[in-house]
Amino acid sequence: MDKELFHIIGVTLRMSFFSTLISCIIGLPLGVIIETGRFRGRRIMKKTAGTLMGLPPVVAGLIVYMLFTKYGIFGSLGLLFTVEAMVIAQVMLITPVVICLTASVVSVSGKNLSETAKGLCLSKSRSLLLFIITNRKALLGTVLTAFGRSIAEVGAVSLVGGNIQWKTRVMTTAILLETNKGKFSFALALGMVLLLISLVVNVLASLLVKGEKTDD
Amino acid sequence: MKKLLVILMAIAMVFSLAACGGTAEETTGAPEETTVKAPENPTIRMSTTTSVNDSGLLPAILPVFEQKTGYKVEVQSAGTGAAIQKAKDGNADLILVHSKASEEEFVNEGYGVERIPFMFNYFVIVGPKDDPAGIKDCENAAAAFAKIKGAGSKFVSRGDESGTHKAELKIWGEDKPDAAVDTWYISAGQGMGACLSMANEQNAYCLTDKATFLSNKDSLQGLDIILGEGEDMKNTYSVIECNPEKLDGVNTEGAKALIDWILSEEADALIAKYGEAEYGQALFTVIAE
Protein backbone atom coordinates (compact mmCIF):
# COMPACT_ATOMS: atom_id res chain seq x y z
CA MET A 1 0.00 0.00 0.00
CA ASP A 2 2.85 2.40 0.84
CA LYS A 3 4.14 2.49 -2.70
CA GLU A 4 0.64 2.86 -4.01
CA LEU A 5 -0.17 5.62 -1.53
CA PHE A 6 2.81 7.65 -2.78
CA HIS A 7 1.65 7.10 -6.33
CA ILE A 8 -1.83 8.36 -5.40
CA ILE A 9 -0.37 11.41 -3.66
CA GLY A 10 1.80 12.05 -6.71
CA VAL A 11 -1.17 11.95 -9.09
CA THR A 12 -3.16 14.15 -6.72
CA LEU A 13 -0.45 16.81 -6.56
CA ARG A 14 0.21 16.69 -10.30
CA MET A 15 -3.49 17.10 -11.08
CA SER A 16 -4.02 19.89 -8.55
CA PHE A 17 -0.87 21.73 -9.57
CA PHE A 18 -1.62 21.79 -13.28
CA SER A 19 -5.30 22.62 -12.86
CA THR A 20 -4.39 25.47 -10.51
CA LEU A 21 -1.68 26.71 -12.86
CA ILE A 22 -3.85 26.69 -15.95
CA SER A 23 -6.87 28.23 -14.29
CA CYS A 24 -4.65 30.98 -12.85
CA ILE A 25 -3.09 31.70 -16.26
CA ILE A 26 -6.62 32.11 -17.63
CA GLY A 27 -8.37 33.50 -14.57
CA LEU A 28 -5.96 36.08 -13.13
CA PRO A 29 -5.79 38.32 -16.24
CA LEU A 30 -9.51 37.86 -16.92
CA GLY A 31 -10.33 38.83 -13.34
CA VAL A 32 -8.28 42.02 -13.62
CA ILE A 33 -9.75 42.90 -17.00
CA ILE A 34 -13.32 42.33 -15.85
CA GLU A 35 -12.80 44.53 -12.81
CA THR A 36 -10.79 47.39 -14.32
CA GLY A 37 -11.64 47.28 -18.00
CA ARG A 38 -14.18 49.60 -19.56
CA PHE A 39 -15.94 47.64 -22.25
CA ARG A 40 -19.38 46.33 -23.12
CA GLY A 41 -20.47 43.00 -21.69
CA ARG A 42 -18.28 43.44 -18.64
CA ARG A 43 -21.18 43.07 -16.20
CA ILE A 44 -22.48 40.02 -18.00
CA MET A 45 -19.05 38.41 -17.87
CA LYS A 46 -18.84 39.09 -14.16
CA LYS A 47 -22.29 37.61 -13.55
CA THR A 48 -21.45 34.60 -15.70
CA ALA A 49 -18.27 33.90 -13.76
CA GLY A 50 -20.19 34.28 -10.50
CA THR A 51 -22.85 31.85 -11.68
CA LEU A 52 -20.31 29.31 -12.90
CA MET A 53 -18.79 29.26 -9.41
CA GLY A 54 -21.90 27.31 -8.47
CA LEU A 55 -21.44 24.74 -11.25
CA PRO A 56 -21.84 21.33 -9.61
CA PRO A 57 -18.61 19.34 -10.10
CA VAL A 58 -20.49 16.32 -11.38
CA VAL A 59 -22.00 18.46 -14.13
CA ALA A 60 -18.55 19.73 -15.15
CA GLY A 61 -17.43 16.11 -15.14
CA LEU A 62 -20.39 15.10 -17.28
CA ILE A 63 -19.63 17.79 -19.84
CA VAL A 64 -16.02 16.70 -20.13
CA TYR A 65 -17.13 13.06 -20.28
CA MET A 66 -19.55 13.77 -23.12
CA LEU A 67 -16.87 15.69 -25.04
CA PHE A 68 -14.25 12.98 -24.74
CA THR A 69 -16.37 9.84 -24.86
CA LYS A 70 -15.62 7.40 -27.68
CA TYR A 71 -18.19 8.94 -30.01
CA GLY A 72 -17.89 12.48 -28.63
CA ILE A 73 -16.45 15.47 -30.48
CA PHE A 74 -12.94 14.91 -29.09
CA GLY A 75 -13.30 11.16 -28.70
CA SER A 76 -10.49 10.41 -31.11
CA LEU A 77 -7.97 12.03 -28.75
CA GLY A 78 -8.41 9.16 -26.33
CA LEU A 79 -8.20 11.44 -23.32
CA LEU A 80 -11.04 9.95 -21.29
CA PHE A 81 -9.81 8.29 -18.08
CA THR A 82 -6.52 10.18 -18.08
CA VAL A 83 -5.09 12.80 -15.73
CA GLU A 84 -5.34 15.30 -18.60
CA ALA A 85 -9.12 14.89 -18.71
CA MET A 86 -9.25 15.40 -14.95
CA VAL A 87 -7.26 18.64 -15.30
CA ILE A 88 -9.65 19.88 -18.00
CA ALA A 89 -12.68 19.26 -15.78
CA GLN A 90 -10.94 20.94 -12.86
CA VAL A 91 -10.02 23.99 -14.93
CA MET A 92 -13.71 24.34 -15.83
CA LEU A 93 -14.57 24.32 -12.16
CA ILE A 94 -11.81 26.49 -10.76
CA THR A 95 -11.32 29.20 -13.38
CA PRO A 96 -14.59 31.00 -12.47
CA VAL A 97 -13.49 30.98 -8.83
CA VAL A 98 -10.12 32.50 -9.75
CA ILE A 99 -11.81 35.16 -11.90
CA CYS A 100 -14.25 36.21 -9.19
CA LEU A 101 -11.71 36.23 -6.36
CA THR A 102 -9.20 38.15 -8.48
CA ALA A 103 -11.87 40.68 -9.37
CA SER A 104 -12.73 41.28 -5.73
CA VAL A 105 -9.05 41.60 -4.76
CA VAL A 106 -8.42 44.10 -7.55
CA SER A 107 -11.58 46.09 -6.81
CA VAL A 108 -10.03 47.27 -3.55
CA SER A 109 -6.89 48.78 -5.05
CA GLY A 110 -8.14 49.15 -8.60
CA LYS A 111 -8.84 52.85 -8.84
CA ASN A 112 -5.50 54.07 -7.55
CA LEU A 113 -3.60 51.60 -9.66
CA SER A 114 -5.52 52.58 -12.77
CA GLU A 115 -4.35 56.13 -12.29
CA THR A 116 -0.79 55.03 -11.66
CA ALA A 117 -0.83 52.98 -14.84
CA LYS A 118 -2.22 55.92 -16.74
CA GLY A 119 0.38 58.25 -15.26
CA LEU A 120 3.19 55.95 -16.24
CA CYS A 121 1.73 55.59 -19.75
CA LEU A 122 1.86 51.81 -19.43
CA SER A 123 0.61 49.60 -22.22
CA LYS A 124 -2.41 47.41 -21.55
CA SER A 125 -0.45 44.23 -20.99
CA ARG A 126 2.01 46.02 -18.76
CA SER A 127 -0.68 47.57 -16.59
CA LEU A 128 -2.22 44.11 -16.27
CA LEU A 129 1.10 42.89 -14.98
CA LEU A 130 1.26 45.84 -12.59
CA PHE A 131 -2.11 44.89 -11.11
CA ILE A 132 -1.11 41.30 -10.56
CA ILE A 133 2.30 42.06 -9.13
CA THR A 134 1.05 44.76 -6.77
CA ASN A 135 -1.68 42.50 -5.43
CA ARG A 136 0.43 39.35 -5.35
CA LYS A 137 0.01 38.74 -1.64
CA ALA A 138 -3.76 38.94 -1.73
CA LEU A 139 -3.82 36.94 -4.96
CA LEU A 140 -1.86 34.17 -3.28
CA GLY A 141 -5.05 33.51 -1.32
CA THR A 142 -6.86 33.14 -4.62
CA VAL A 143 -4.32 30.64 -5.86
CA LEU A 144 -4.55 28.66 -2.63
CA THR A 145 -8.33 28.60 -2.80
CA ALA A 146 -8.10 27.26 -6.33
CA PHE A 147 -5.62 24.62 -5.21
CA GLY A 148 -7.82 23.68 -2.24
CA ARG A 149 -10.87 23.23 -4.42
CA SER A 150 -8.93 21.17 -6.88
CA ILE A 151 -7.38 18.82 -4.33
CA ALA A 152 -10.68 18.25 -2.51
CA GLU A 153 -12.87 17.60 -5.53
CA VAL A 154 -14.26 14.12 -6.05
CA GLY A 155 -17.37 14.06 -8.28
CA ALA A 156 -15.84 15.26 -11.52
CA VAL A 157 -12.51 13.45 -11.20
CA SER A 158 -14.07 10.07 -10.48
CA LEU A 159 -16.29 10.46 -13.52
CA VAL A 160 -13.68 11.54 -16.07
CA GLY A 161 -10.66 9.94 -14.40
CA GLY A 162 -12.34 6.66 -13.60
CA ASN A 163 -10.45 6.14 -10.33
CA ILE A 164 -8.12 3.70 -12.12
CA GLN A 165 -5.48 2.17 -9.86
CA TRP A 166 -1.91 3.21 -10.71
CA LYS A 167 -3.22 5.73 -13.21
CA THR A 168 -5.96 8.18 -12.29
CA ARG A 169 -6.67 7.36 -8.66
CA VAL A 170 -6.35 10.44 -6.43
CA MET A 171 -6.76 10.93 -2.69
CA THR A 172 -10.46 11.78 -2.80
CA THR A 173 -11.45 8.89 -5.04
CA ALA A 174 -9.29 6.55 -2.96
CA ILE A 175 -11.17 7.73 0.14
CA LEU A 176 -14.47 7.08 -1.61
CA LEU A 177 -13.31 3.62 -2.62
CA GLU A 178 -12.21 2.68 0.92
CA THR A 179 -15.57 3.94 2.19
CA ASN A 180 -17.37 1.70 -0.29
CA LYS A 181 -15.22 -1.21 0.84
CA GLY A 182 -16.50 -0.61 4.36
CA LYS A 183 -13.02 0.34 5.63
CA PHE A 184 -14.31 3.50 7.26
CA SER A 185 -11.37 4.10 9.62
CA PHE A 186 -8.79 3.68 6.85
CA ALA A 187 -10.81 6.08 4.70
CA LEU A 188 -10.77 8.58 7.53
CA ALA A 189 -7.00 8.15 7.90
CA LEU A 190 -6.60 8.91 4.20
CA GLY A 191 -8.72 12.00 4.76
CA MET A 192 -6.28 13.11 7.44
CA VAL A 193 -3.38 12.60 5.03
CA LEU A 194 -5.18 14.80 2.52
CA LEU A 195 -5.65 17.49 5.18
CA LEU A 196 -1.96 17.23 6.02
CA ILE A 197 -0.98 17.79 2.38
CA SER A 198 -3.29 20.78 2.30
CA LEU A 199 -1.70 22.11 5.49
CA VAL A 200 1.82 21.75 4.09
CA VAL A 201 0.86 23.63 0.93
CA ASN A 202 -0.74 26.41 2.99
CA VAL A 203 2.28 26.72 5.28
CA LEU A 204 4.67 26.84 2.33
CA ALA A 205 2.58 29.55 0.74
CA SER A 206 2.44 31.69 3.87
CA LEU A 207 6.21 31.29 4.28
CA LEU A 208 6.55 32.66 0.78
CA VAL A 209 4.64 35.77 1.79
CA LYS A 210 6.54 36.17 5.05
CA GLY A 211 9.83 35.84 3.26
CA GLU A 212 8.79 38.70 1.05
CA LYS A 213 7.94 40.96 3.96
CA THR A 214 11.56 41.01 5.13
CA ASP A 215 12.64 41.89 1.61
CA ASP A 216 10.44 44.99 1.53
CA MET B 1 -4.48 27.83 12.57
CA LYS B 2 -7.91 29.38 12.50
CA LYS B 3 -8.55 27.61 9.21
CA LEU B 4 -7.65 24.27 10.76
CA LEU B 5 -10.02 24.92 13.67
CA VAL B 6 -12.85 25.65 11.29
CA ILE B 7 -12.15 22.41 9.43
CA LEU B 8 -12.10 20.41 12.65
CA MET B 9 -15.38 21.99 13.74
CA ALA B 10 -16.92 21.08 10.43
CA ILE B 11 -15.81 17.49 10.88
CA ALA B 12 -17.25 17.40 14.38
CA MET B 13 -20.54 18.75 13.09
CA VAL B 14 -20.74 16.13 10.41
CA PHE B 15 -20.19 13.42 12.98
CA SER B 16 -22.86 14.75 15.34
CA LEU B 17 -25.28 15.06 12.45
CA ALA B 18 -24.56 11.48 11.44
CA ALA B 19 -25.22 10.36 15.01
CA CYS B 20 -28.59 12.12 15.02
CA GLY B 21 -29.43 10.66 11.63
CA GLY B 22 -29.62 7.13 13.01
CA THR B 23 -32.39 7.84 15.45
CA ALA B 24 -34.34 10.09 13.15
CA GLU B 25 -34.44 7.38 10.53
CA GLU B 26 -36.25 4.98 12.81
CA THR B 27 -39.07 7.32 13.67
CA THR B 28 -39.98 8.26 10.12
CA GLY B 29 -41.65 6.27 7.43
CA ALA B 30 -44.66 4.91 9.33
CA PRO B 31 -46.83 3.17 6.76
CA GLU B 32 -50.15 4.69 5.84
CA GLU B 33 -51.64 1.29 5.21
CA THR B 34 -55.09 0.97 6.67
CA THR B 35 -56.03 -2.59 5.85
CA VAL B 36 -53.35 -4.09 8.10
CA LYS B 37 -52.62 -3.28 11.70
CA ALA B 38 -49.17 -1.73 11.77
CA PRO B 39 -46.56 -3.75 13.66
CA GLU B 40 -45.04 -2.24 16.78
CA ASN B 41 -41.79 -1.34 15.06
CA PRO B 42 -42.78 -0.94 11.41
CA THR B 43 -39.39 -0.02 9.95
CA ILE B 44 -37.07 -2.71 8.61
CA ARG B 45 -33.60 -1.59 7.58
CA MET B 46 -32.10 -3.72 4.84
CA SER B 47 -28.49 -3.26 3.83
CA THR B 48 -27.77 -4.56 0.37
CA THR B 49 -25.28 -4.24 -2.47
CA THR B 50 -25.51 -1.90 -5.42
CA SER B 51 -25.86 -4.76 -7.88
CA VAL B 52 -29.00 -6.04 -6.15
CA ASN B 53 -30.40 -2.54 -6.04
CA ASP B 54 -29.48 -1.78 -9.66
CA SER B 55 -31.24 -4.90 -10.90
CA GLY B 56 -34.55 -3.38 -9.82
CA LEU B 57 -35.66 -6.60 -8.10
CA LEU B 58 -36.40 -5.12 -4.69
CA PRO B 59 -38.71 -2.28 -5.79
CA ALA B 60 -40.54 -4.89 -7.87
CA ILE B 61 -41.26 -7.34 -5.04
CA LEU B 62 -41.04 -5.49 -1.70
CA PRO B 63 -44.28 -3.46 -2.06
CA VAL B 64 -46.19 -6.77 -1.99
CA PHE B 65 -44.65 -7.56 1.40
CA GLU B 66 -45.21 -4.05 2.69
CA GLN B 67 -48.89 -4.04 1.74
CA LYS B 68 -49.45 -7.39 3.30
CA THR B 69 -47.78 -6.79 6.63
CA GLY B 70 -47.72 -3.04 7.19
CA TYR B 71 -43.94 -3.02 7.47
CA LYS B 72 -41.89 -0.43 5.64
CA VAL B 73 -38.56 -1.63 4.26
CA GLU B 74 -35.77 0.94 4.01
CA VAL B 75 -33.24 -0.31 1.48
CA GLN B 76 -29.70 1.09 1.77
CA SER B 77 -27.36 0.08 -1.00
CA ALA B 78 -23.55 0.22 -1.06
CA GLY B 79 -20.65 -1.99 -2.07
CA THR B 80 -20.67 -5.37 -0.34
CA GLY B 81 -17.93 -4.31 2.08
CA ALA B 82 -19.73 -1.16 3.14
CA ALA B 83 -23.09 -2.93 3.20
CA ILE B 84 -21.73 -5.44 5.70
CA GLN B 85 -19.86 -2.80 7.68
CA LYS B 86 -23.07 -0.79 8.09
CA ALA B 87 -24.74 -3.84 9.56
CA LYS B 88 -21.77 -4.43 11.89
CA ASP B 89 -22.16 -0.84 13.07
CA GLY B 90 -25.76 -1.58 14.04
CA ASN B 91 -27.37 0.32 11.18
CA ALA B 92 -29.32 -2.56 9.64
CA ASP B 93 -31.73 -5.32 10.62
CA LEU B 94 -30.80 -7.72 7.86
CA ILE B 95 -28.42 -7.91 4.92
CA LEU B 96 -28.91 -9.23 1.40
CA VAL B 97 -25.53 -9.78 -0.28
CA HIS B 98 -23.64 -12.13 -2.60
CA SER B 99 -20.21 -12.87 -1.23
CA LYS B 100 -20.00 -16.23 0.52
CA ALA B 101 -16.72 -15.74 2.35
CA SER B 102 -17.67 -12.32 3.77
CA GLU B 103 -21.10 -13.65 4.73
CA GLU B 104 -19.63 -16.57 6.62
CA GLU B 105 -17.25 -14.22 8.40
CA PHE B 106 -20.21 -12.00 9.32
CA VAL B 107 -22.01 -14.95 10.89
CA ASN B 108 -18.92 -16.44 12.52
CA GLU B 109 -18.08 -13.16 14.22
CA GLY B 110 -21.54 -13.25 15.76
CA TYR B 111 -23.06 -10.34 13.85
CA GLY B 112 -25.38 -12.50 11.80
CA VAL B 113 -27.74 -15.24 12.94
CA GLU B 114 -27.69 -17.56 9.94
CA ARG B 115 -26.73 -17.36 6.27
CA ILE B 116 -29.67 -18.33 4.11
CA PRO B 117 -28.92 -18.65 0.36
CA PHE B 118 -32.21 -18.13 -1.48
CA MET B 119 -31.53 -17.31 -5.12
CA PHE B 120 -28.76 -17.30 -7.72
CA ASN B 121 -27.91 -16.19 -11.20
CA TYR B 122 -24.80 -16.28 -13.33
CA PHE B 123 -22.05 -13.77 -13.80
CA VAL B 124 -21.36 -13.15 -17.46
CA ILE B 125 -18.27 -11.92 -19.27
CA VAL B 126 -19.12 -9.01 -21.50
CA GLY B 127 -16.71 -7.63 -24.05
CA PRO B 128 -16.24 -5.98 -27.45
CA LYS B 129 -18.51 -7.53 -30.08
CA ASP B 130 -15.59 -8.79 -32.20
CA ASP B 131 -14.20 -10.72 -29.18
CA PRO B 132 -10.49 -9.88 -29.72
CA ALA B 133 -9.24 -12.53 -27.28
CA GLY B 134 -11.48 -15.22 -28.80
CA ILE B 135 -13.12 -16.41 -25.59
CA LYS B 136 -16.62 -17.16 -26.78
CA ASP B 137 -16.17 -20.92 -26.98
CA CYS B 138 -14.38 -21.23 -23.66
CA GLU B 139 -15.65 -23.86 -21.27
CA ASN B 140 -15.62 -21.64 -18.20
CA ALA B 141 -14.58 -18.23 -16.94
CA ALA B 142 -11.13 -19.39 -15.81
CA ALA B 143 -10.27 -20.51 -19.35
CA ALA B 144 -11.62 -17.24 -20.76
CA PHE B 145 -9.57 -15.18 -18.29
CA ALA B 146 -6.43 -17.11 -19.26
CA LYS B 147 -7.04 -16.26 -22.92
CA ILE B 148 -7.66 -12.59 -22.11
CA LYS B 149 -4.41 -12.50 -20.17
CA GLY B 150 -2.54 -14.28 -22.95
CA ALA B 151 -3.82 -11.85 -25.55
CA GLY B 152 -3.28 -8.84 -23.30
CA SER B 153 -6.80 -7.63 -24.10
CA LYS B 154 -8.10 -4.87 -21.90
CA PHE B 155 -10.08 -5.98 -18.87
CA VAL B 156 -11.93 -3.72 -16.44
CA SER B 157 -11.99 -4.95 -12.86
CA ARG B 158 -14.29 -3.60 -10.14
CA GLY B 159 -11.31 -3.50 -7.78
CA ASP B 160 -13.54 -2.50 -4.87
CA GLU B 161 -13.77 -5.73 -2.87
CA SER B 162 -17.41 -6.03 -3.83
CA GLY B 163 -19.10 -9.40 -4.25
CA THR B 164 -18.46 -9.22 -7.99
CA HIS B 165 -14.80 -8.30 -7.48
CA LYS B 166 -14.32 -11.19 -5.06
CA ALA B 167 -15.91 -13.56 -7.55
CA GLU B 168 -13.51 -12.23 -10.20
CA LEU B 169 -10.48 -12.74 -7.95
CA LYS B 170 -11.59 -16.29 -7.24
CA ILE B 171 -11.69 -17.03 -10.97
CA TRP B 172 -8.21 -15.58 -11.52
CA GLY B 173 -6.89 -17.65 -8.63
CA GLU B 174 -3.10 -17.67 -8.63
CA ASP B 175 -2.93 -15.94 -11.98
CA LYS B 176 -4.28 -12.64 -10.74
CA PRO B 177 -2.82 -9.80 -12.83
CA ASP B 178 -0.90 -7.02 -11.12
CA ALA B 179 -2.40 -3.68 -12.07
CA ALA B 180 0.92 -1.96 -11.38
CA VAL B 181 2.62 -3.90 -14.19
CA ASP B 182 -0.12 -5.27 -16.44
CA THR B 183 -1.44 -2.13 -18.07
CA TRP B 184 -4.23 -4.04 -19.85
CA TYR B 185 -5.76 -4.80 -16.44
CA ILE B 186 -7.78 -1.74 -15.42
CA SER B 187 -8.68 -1.70 -11.73
CA ALA B 188 -11.41 0.92 -11.55
CA GLY B 189 -12.57 0.84 -7.96
CA GLN B 190 -16.08 1.87 -8.95
CA GLY B 191 -19.59 0.48 -9.10
CA MET B 192 -20.84 -2.01 -11.69
CA GLY B 193 -22.51 0.61 -13.89
CA ALA B 194 -19.41 2.82 -14.02
CA CYS B 195 -17.17 -0.17 -14.81
CA LEU B 196 -19.44 -1.25 -17.66
CA SER B 197 -19.34 2.27 -19.14
CA MET B 198 -15.57 2.17 -18.87
CA ALA B 199 -15.39 -1.23 -20.59
CA ASN B 200 -17.62 0.16 -23.33
CA GLU B 201 -15.35 3.20 -23.75
CA GLN B 202 -12.10 1.27 -23.70
CA ASN B 203 -13.19 -1.79 -25.72
CA ALA B 204 -12.50 -3.95 -22.71
CA TYR B 205 -13.84 -7.16 -21.21
CA CYS B 206 -15.62 -7.08 -17.88
CA LEU B 207 -17.14 -9.58 -15.45
CA THR B 208 -20.63 -8.48 -14.47
CA ASP B 209 -23.89 -9.74 -13.11
CA LYS B 210 -26.33 -10.23 -15.94
CA ALA B 211 -29.00 -7.99 -14.40
CA THR B 212 -26.90 -4.83 -14.33
CA PHE B 213 -25.67 -5.39 -17.88
CA LEU B 214 -29.14 -5.96 -19.30
CA SER B 215 -30.63 -2.98 -17.49
CA ASN B 216 -27.87 -0.70 -18.91
CA LYS B 217 -27.62 -2.29 -22.34
CA ASP B 218 -28.94 0.76 -24.21
CA SER B 219 -25.91 2.84 -23.31
CA LEU B 220 -23.44 -0.03 -23.83
CA GLN B 221 -23.68 -0.39 -27.59
CA GLY B 222 -20.11 -1.66 -28.02
CA LEU B 223 -20.52 -4.59 -25.63
CA ASP B 224 -22.13 -8.00 -25.86
CA ILE B 225 -22.35 -10.98 -23.56
CA ILE B 226 -19.44 -13.07 -24.84
CA LEU B 227 -19.51 -15.84 -22.26
CA GLY B 228 -22.32 -16.78 -19.87
CA GLU B 229 -23.17 -19.58 -17.47
CA GLY B 230 -19.84 -21.32 -16.89
CA GLU B 231 -19.88 -23.54 -13.82
CA ASP B 232 -17.45 -21.16 -12.07
CA MET B 233 -19.70 -18.17 -12.68
CA LYS B 234 -22.55 -18.95 -10.32
CA ASN B 235 -23.59 -16.00 -8.18
CA THR B 236 -25.52 -16.87 -5.04
CA TYR B 237 -27.49 -14.34 -3.01
CA SER B 238 -28.20 -14.78 0.69
CA VAL B 239 -30.16 -13.05 3.41
CA ILE B 240 -28.81 -12.84 6.95
CA GLU B 241 -30.67 -11.59 9.99
CA CYS B 242 -28.56 -9.35 12.21
CA ASN B 243 -27.95 -10.82 15.64
CA PRO B 244 -29.84 -8.88 18.35
CA GLU B 245 -27.58 -10.39 21.02
CA LYS B 246 -24.57 -8.69 19.49
CA LEU B 247 -26.14 -5.53 18.09
CA ASP B 248 -28.41 -3.03 19.82
CA GLY B 249 -31.64 -1.78 18.32
CA VAL B 250 -32.13 -4.53 15.77
CA ASN B 251 -35.74 -4.96 14.66
CA THR B 252 -35.65 -8.73 15.00
CA GLU B 253 -39.37 -9.28 14.46
CA GLY B 254 -39.31 -7.24 11.30
CA ALA B 255 -36.20 -8.96 9.96
CA LYS B 256 -37.68 -12.39 10.69
CA ALA B 257 -40.96 -11.48 9.02
CA LEU B 258 -39.17 -10.24 5.91
CA ILE B 259 -36.88 -13.28 5.67
CA ASP B 260 -39.85 -15.62 6.13
CA TRP B 261 -41.62 -13.82 3.33
CA ILE B 262 -38.59 -13.88 1.02
CA LEU B 263 -38.48 -17.67 1.50
CA SER B 264 -42.22 -18.04 0.94
CA GLU B 265 -43.78 -19.43 -2.23
CA GLU B 266 -45.35 -16.08 -2.96
CA ALA B 267 -41.96 -14.33 -3.09
CA ASP B 268 -40.38 -17.26 -4.93
CA ALA B 269 -42.92 -16.88 -7.71
CA LEU B 270 -42.30 -13.13 -7.94
CA ILE B 271 -38.50 -13.55 -8.03
CA ALA B 272 -38.65 -16.34 -10.62
CA LYS B 273 -40.74 -14.15 -12.89
CA TYR B 274 -38.77 -10.94 -12.43
CA GLY B 275 -37.16 -9.68 -15.63
CA GLU B 276 -39.33 -11.58 -18.09
CA ALA B 277 -41.45 -8.57 -18.92
CA GLU B 278 -38.58 -6.09 -19.20
CA TYR B 279 -35.67 -8.15 -20.52
CA GLY B 280 -37.40 -11.16 -22.03
CA GLN B 281 -35.68 -13.49 -19.57
CA ALA B 282 -35.74 -14.18 -15.86
CA LEU B 283 -32.77 -12.66 -14.03
CA PHE B 284 -32.72 -14.85 -10.93
CA THR B 285 -33.35 -18.50 -10.14
CA VAL B 286 -34.86 -19.39 -6.78
CA ILE B 287 -33.03 -21.98 -4.70
CA ALA B 288 -35.47 -24.70 -3.70
CA GLU B 289 -35.45 -25.59 -0.02
Side-chain angles (χ1 to χ4, degrees):
Chain A
M1 187 63 208
D2 278 354
K3 212 175 146 201
E4 199 189 337
L5 182 61
F6 283 120
H7 187 270
I8 293 173
I9 292 174
V11 176
T12 308
L13 288 175
R14 197 151 53 95
M15 175 198 70
S16 304
F17 175 77
F18 282 108
S19 31
T20 309
L21 183 73
I22 296 172
S23 45
C24 284
I25 289 175
I26 304 170
L28 285 176
L30 267 181
V32 176
I33 291 169
I34 282 180
E35 189 57 41
T36 61
R38 296 280 167 264
F39 57 91
R40 283 183 75 135
R42 195 181 132 242
R43 270 163 197 276
I44 293 176
M45 278 179 79
K46 211 171 167 182
K47 285 270 184 307
T48 311
T51 310
L52 286 178
M53 278 216 293
L55 182 72
V58 178
V59 174
L62 264 177
I63 295 170
V64 175
Y65 188 96
M66 299 310 270
L67 288 177
F68 291 96
T69 179
K70 199 158 59 170
Y71 305 112
I73 308 171
F74 304 117
S76 53
L77 298 176
L79 280 181
L80 196 63
F81 307 130
T82 61
V83 177
E84 286 85 343
M86 292 155 84
V87 170
I88 293 169
Q90 294 270 27
V91 168
M92 275 179 67
L93 283 172
I94 308 168
T95 307
V97 179
V98 176
I99 293 176
C100 288
L101 289 180
T102 306
S104 65
V105 164
V106 171
S107 71
V108 181
S109 62
K111 216 173 171 192
N112 291 338
L113 275 177
S114 287
E115 279 163 13
T116 314
K118 227 181 238 167
L120 291 170
C121 298
L122 289 180
S123 70
K124 270 189 183 155
S125 56
R126 283 192 164 231
S127 47
L128 194 69
L129 213 60
L130 175 77
F131 275 105
I132 291 175
I133 290 174
T134 329
N135 288 309
R136 63 191 177 279
K137 277 176 202 164
L139 287 177
L140 187 69
T142 306
V143 177
L144 281 178
T145 308
F147 186 83
R149 265 202 79 150
S150 160
I151 204 171
E153 207 285 316
V154 59
V157 295
S158 77
L159 193 60
V160 302
N163 186 27
I164 297 172
Q165 193 185 18
W166 298 108
K167 190 177 171 196
T168 55
R169 184 163 298 165
V170 289
M171 288 301 289
T172 49
T173 54
I175 292 169
L176 193 66
L177 173 60
E178 293 306 323
T179 308
N180 283 336
K181 283 183 188 170
K183 295 181 178 165
F184 295 164
S185 44
F186 185 55
L188 205 60
L190 283 179
M192 293 301 155
V193 174
L194 184 64
L195 269 183
L196 202 70
I197 297 172
S198 198
L199 179 72
V200 169
V201 172
N202 269 280
V203 168
L204 283 180
S206 63
L207 282 180
L208 211 71
V209 175
K210 264 191 192 150
E212 247 184 26
K213 258 179 196 160
T214 51
D215 288 347
D216 284 346
Chain B
M1 198 58 214
K2 224 173 180 181
K3 223 175 197 174
L4 195 70
L5 264 176
V6 172
I7 292 166
L8 286 176
M9 270 173 69
I11 293 174
M13 269 174 70
V14 168
F15 274 115
S16 53
L17 275 179
C20 296
T23 50
E25 219 168 72
E26 282 160 32
T27 54
T28 54
E32 291 155 28
E33 223 22 72
T34 48
T35 50
V36 191
K37 196 170 155 275
E40 207 168 298
N41 183 354
T43 306
I44 305 172
R45 301 164 302 167
M46 178 194 272
S47 185
T48 187
T49 67
T50 44
S51 61
V52 174
N53 203 40
D54 292 351
S55 73
L57 174 72
L58 296 177
I61 66 166
L62 286 181
V64 178
F65 168 77
E66 289 177 339
Q67 291 229 334
K68 202 172 164 179
T69 59
Y71 279 110
K72 175 99 187 78
V73 185
E74 286 178 356
V75 179
Q76 326 160 4
S77 78
T80 304
I84 292 178
Q85 187 61 45
K86 280 184 188 170
K88 283 184 180 175
D89 291 340
N91 296 317
D93 302 317
L94 75 159
I95 60 174
L96 195 175
V97 292
H98 62 133
S99 179
K100 195 179 172 195
S102 323
E103 289 161 23
E104 282 170 347
E105 191 188 297
F106 184 73
V107 173
N108 289 339
E109 286 173 359
Y111 293 106
V113 176
E114 185 195 357
R115 170 177 179 264
I116 308 171
F118 71 102
M119 65 176 188
F120 69 91
N121 61 8
Y122 285 95
F123 287 115
V124 294
I125 300 179
V126 298
K129 288 187 167 139
D130 59 350
D131 188 16
I135 63 163
K136 71 171 189 294
D137 295 323
C138 285
E139 200 176 306
N140 54 29
F145 277 18
K147 274 199 162 178
I148 291 171
K149 190 176 183 178
S153 298
K154 280 187 180 169
F155 183 95
V156 175
S157 164
R158 287 282 295 272
D160 61 353
E161 293 180 19
S162 59
T164 310
H165 182 219
K166 284 182 174 162
E168 182 211 312
L169 291 179
K170 209 173 152 194
I171 296 171
W172 284 117
E174 298 285 300
D175 284 336
K176 184 194 167 309
D178 180 359
V181 194
D182 300 313
T183 48
W184 55 272
Y185 185 74
I186 304 166
S187 178
Q190 296 205 68
M192 199 68 255
C195 286
L196 285 171
S197 303
M198 194 180 284
N200 187 50
E201 285 292 332
Q202 309 255 310
N203 296 321
Y205 290 97
C206 188
L207 183 77
T208 173
D209 61 290
K210 210 179 194 174
T212 310
F213 177 69
L214 289 178
S215 54
N216 290 307
K217 204 166 182 327
D218 287 346
S219 54
L220 303 170
Q221 297 294 340
L223 299 177
D224 251 342
I225 294 178
I226 311 291
L227 188 69
E229 307 212 354
E231 95 281 350
D232 55 354
M233 293 156 86
K234 199 168 170 183
N235 179 24
T236 306
Y237 293 86
S238 312
V239 279
I240 305 176
E241 178 197 336
C242 293
N243 190 352
E245 285 166 27
K246 177 112 177 174
L247 299 162
D248 285 338
V250 173
N251 183 359
T252 305
E253 269 173 40
K256 277 199 163 65
L258 180 52
I259 291 175
D260 283 348
W261 183 78
I262 287 175
L263 301 175
S264 73
E265 277 177 23
E266 182 186 24
D268 284 359
L270 289 171
I271 294 170
K273 262 206 317 220
Y274 178 70
E276 277 174 4
E278 253 178 286
Y279 309 116
Q281 52 182 296
L283 296 181
F284 300 97
T285 308
V286 175
I287 297 174
E289 281 151 83

